[in-house]
Amino acid sequence: MAIKIVLLLVFFAVFVCVGIICRKQSRDVNGFVLGGRTVGPWLTAFAYGTSYFSAVIFVGYAGQFGWSFGLASTWIGLGNAFIGSLLPWAILGRRTRIMTQHLNSRTMPDFFGQRYGSRGLKIAASAITFIFLIPYTASLFNGLSRLFRMAFNIDYAVCVIVMAVLTAVYVIVGGYMATAVNDFIQGIVMLVGIVAVIAAVLSQHGGFMQSVIEMSKVESGELQGGYVSFFGPKPFYLLVVVLLTSLGTWGLPQMVGKFYAIKNEESIKIGTMISTFFAIIVAGGCYFLGGFGRLFTTQEAVSAEGFDSIVPTMLSGLSDVLIGVVLILVLSASMSTLSSLVLTSSSTLTLDFLGSFKKSTEKRNMLIMRIFVAVFIIISAVIAIVQATSRVTFIAQLMGISWGALSGAFLAPFLYGLYWKKTSRAGVVASFVFGTLVMLIQLCISLGWIHVGGTFLPFIFTNSLYSGVFCMLASLVIVPVVSLLSQKTCPSNTDSMFACYDKTVQVPAKEVLSEN
């Protein structure tokens, strides 16, 4: 117990100190929200990765999908690494950095407003962000409850309150730069922790090969040894999960916002490699570990206690030191994502929503943003405690559709907005309406408020994973089709916006080669 407490105290002290040290770089809006656009590749890459992977993945998704797919769940982590990390950095990174500075936009809703010349789109995007980020933020706390009960036997509410207070302190004081530095520290903990935990957990069943042999004996329906097969017992469902958890990052404001703040193009190249490596180890490791869940618990136990009980059960046999490391690992994952979400929410509501109705001074905006950071954390903590104690179905379902709604609404308009001059306001509106409407219908169906007949629609609305992927893929078609039919709603100054990609610069040549 003493070891665990000391580790936590050191962990929390470092966070607060970083917030105090970084306070000088958060004295204006640009510094508070974007770190002055001077953040290097290592800090940005780790900030991206730690915002991506939270306790939801380590405790919830790793347990649930590891149980469903076995060792094939590792594909989800690899999809997160290459589709969710490598490709966004390569495709979105440079253009996002250049275009957002050219338009002087500091958030994703602000980008939509500037790029498409519409204050209405800016307000709508900020409202969608606010509505769907709050429940997503609350879900971060849920992965901590069982681990803290296992390690300390303390009440879940106490854990939520302590975590919320500490996150609020360093975000309010240090802004984006404090979150980036802390994310780097947390990322190191996650890299080391996940490797140590995998080795320790598998050693309980004789190591990797012996664990695989044991997994091959587990019944998996008609497919013999399905839980150690290449694509698992449910290949199509596995593909859906990979797409949702990987392609979804392309449209999440808190993820894309990392490209706004990076220092320069060279940093993007370096950051791409670092971010991909981080995702391979952390995401791949989490899902790989979850794939062995059936060796540690039974179907009856999972039915009674839920999928969130699988990973804590796997870890319960570890030494006190390793359990302390796991706690720090999961706290790191959760607090880094939490800080990113609340900073995104507060800046969006202050600058994009309220700022669209009433202009305010720099100093006042800073005060409002700091107040909203505290408000968002309080609301998220209350939702998390209420959901954990009363099991309110509505909250749990709303958390499940947040990712699909945000990415379904924003992914295509943002991507096409960076690359295609003919993207129109009408196309963006169609994507916003389609993404949010489909996911709200999904919520109503999941709660039993709507009953849909037929053949195709029920398949899409079987769960939020299917409907979320459907929204993202459909929006990639809806935006160009509607845009081509509504060219009158294209901004008149699109050419000048895209001119930022064509600036000519002079560089010194090391050697001159003749035509021969």
Side-chain angles (χ1 to χ4, degrees):
M1 184 62 69
I3 293 173
K4 299 171 191 173
I5 293 174
V6 168
L7 284 172
L8 286 177
L9 290 177
V10 171
F11 179 76
F12 293 145
V14 169
F15 281 0
V16 174
C17 289
V18 168
I20 294 172
I21 293 171
C22 294
R23 69 186 186 280
K24 293 182 180 179
Q25 293 166 291
S26 59
R27 291 178 175 172
D28 57 22
V29 171
N30 197 47
F32 189 80
V33 177
L34 299 176
R37 295 186 191 264
T38 59
V39 186
W42 283 88
L43 293 183
T44 303
F46 273 70
Y48 185 94
T50 54
S51 297
Y52 193 168
F53 311 117
S54 66
V56 175
I57 288 179
F58 185 77
V59 177
Y61 282 5
Q64 177 182 349
F65 298 129
W67 185 268
S68 299
F69 307 125
L71 299 191
S73 62
T74 308
W75 284 110
I76 305 173
L78 296 177
N80 293 170
F82 294 105
I83 301 174
S85 295
L86 175 64
L87 290 182
W89 276 81
I91 295 174
L92 301 179
R94 176 182 178 273
R95 283 186 167 254
T96 298
R97 178 64 178 83
I98 294 173
M99 178 72 86
T100 55
Q101 182 169 353
H102 180 69
L103 298 177
N104 194 31
S105 63
R106 294 172 287 198
T107 63
M108 183 178 273
D110 191 24
F111 171 82
F112 288 132
Q114 298 278 358
R115 168 65 179 84
Y116 299 108
S118 171
R119 190 179 77 156
L121 284 179
K122 179 179 178 180
I123 295 172
S126 61
I128 293 171
T129 302
F130 169 72
I131 291 171
F132 290 103
L133 275 190
I134 286 292
Y136 180 43
T137 305
S139 69
L140 298 177
F141 294 105
N142 292 338
L144 296 169
S145 59
R146 294 181 185 273
L147 289 176
F148 266 78
R149 286 173 188 160
M150 176 189 72
F152 294 104
N153 196 28
I154 61 175
D155 187 73
Y156 171 53
V158 175
C159 167
V160 170
I161 292 170
V162 171
M163 178 178 161
V165 169
L166 288 168
T167 304
V169 168
Y170 79 75
V171 174
I172 290 172
V173 174
Y176 182 85
M177 187 59 75
T179 66
V181 174
N182 276 328
D183 286 350
F184 180 76
I185 298 170
Q186 292 160 342
I188 297 295
V189 172
M190 291 167 69
L191 284 173
V192 175
I194 192 64
V195 173
V197 168
I198 290 173
V201 169
L202 294 186
S203 67
Q204 298 178 48
H205 282 266
F208 170 64
M209 290 306 300
Q210 188 59 39
S211 297
V212 172
I213 292 172
E214 293 296 319
M215 281 293 296
S216 67
K217 300 175 183 177
V218 178
E219 289 292 331
S220 56
E222 297 179 0
L223 183 63
Q224 182 65 32
Y227 293 117
V228 295
S229 62
F230 199 67
F231 291 121
K234 304 174 183 177
F236 179 73
Y237 186 37
L238 176 63
L239 175 63
V240 170
V241 175
V242 169
L243 288 175
L244 181 72
T245 60
S246 302
L247 191 61
T249 60
W250 296 45
L252 296 179
Q254 75 275 15
M255 302 299 295
V256 175
K258 301 296 185 290
F259 301 136
Y260 287 44
I262 199 165
K263 190 175 183 179
N264 51 38
E265 289 187 50
E266 186 63 30
S267 296
I268 292 174
K269 296 176 183 177
I270 299 171
T272 301
M273 295 182 288
I274 299 170
S275 180
T276 305
F277 172 78
F278 182 88
I280 290 172
I281 301 298
V282 175
C286 285
Y287 287 109
F288 173 75
L289 178 65
F292 291 95
R294 289 179 180 267
L295 298 181
F296 294 84
T297 187
T298 63
Q299 181 66 61
E300 292 73 19
V302 172
S303 300
E305 301 181 21
F307 290 113
D308 288 351
S309 66
I310 296 173
V311 171
T313 301
M314 298 174 70
L315 303 175
S316 60
L318 300 181
S319 65
D320 287 339
V321 174
L322 275 176
I323 289 179
V325 170
V326 170
L327 289 173
I328 300 300
L329 189 159
V330 178
L331 269 175
S332 297
S334 298
M335 292 181 71
S336 57
T337 308
L338 176 63
S339 62
S340 177
L341 290 172
V342 298
L343 191 59
T344 300
S345 298
S346 63
S347 59
T348 293
L349 193 58
T350 303
L351 302 176
D352 303 324
F353 192 83
L354 298 180
S356 297
F357 297 100
K358 183 179 180 181
K359 297 297 180 182
S360 185
T361 63
E362 188 96 347
K363 186 176 180 179
R364 184 177 176 82
N365 280 336
M366 288 290 296
L367 176 62
I368 295 173
M369 275 193 290
R370 286 188 161 107
I371 292 173
F372 276 134
V373 166
V375 169
F376 286 139
I377 289 180
I378 291 171
I379 293 173
S380 302
V382 170
I383 291 175
I385 293 171
V386 170
Q387 198 274 330
T389 55
S390 63
R391 299 296 175 190
V392 178
T393 306
F394 178 82
I395 297 174
Q397 294 293 343
L398 191 56
M399 291 174 187
I401 68 167
S402 295
W403 190 295
L406 289 166
S407 296
F410 295 156
L411 189 156
F414 189 80
L415 176 63
Y416 286 117
L418 294 175
Y419 279 91
W420 192 37
K421 294 181 181 180
K422 294 184 178 181
T423 310
S424 70
R425 284 190 292 268
V428 178
V429 170
S431 181
F432 283 9
V433 172
F434 181 80
T436 53
L437 184 60
V438 169
M439 294 313 293
L440 288 176
I441 292 173
Q442 172 68 66
L443 176 64
C444 294
I445 292 174
S446 299
L447 293 172
W449 296 349
I450 297 178
H451 298 282
V452 182
T455 55
F456 180 62
L457 284 178
F459 173 74
I460 294 175
F461 292 111
T462 301
N463 59 48
S464 58
L465 295 175
Y466 290 130
S467 53
V469 170
F470 173 70
C471 280
M472 287 185 282
L473 297 180
S475 67
L476 292 172
V477 177
I478 290 172
V479 170
V481 169
V482 174
S483 294
L484 290 174
L485 297 175
S486 58
Q487 284 298 289
K488 291 183 179 180
T489 64
C490 286
S492 58
N493 59 338
T494 303
D495 288 336
S496 64
M497 295 182 196
F498 276 74
C500 64
Y501 297 134
D502 302 322
K503 289 182 179 179
T504 302
V505 295
Q506 292 183 340
V507 295
K510 291 185 178 180
E511 55 183 89
V512 179
L513 302 177
S514 66
E515 293 182 359
N516 296 327

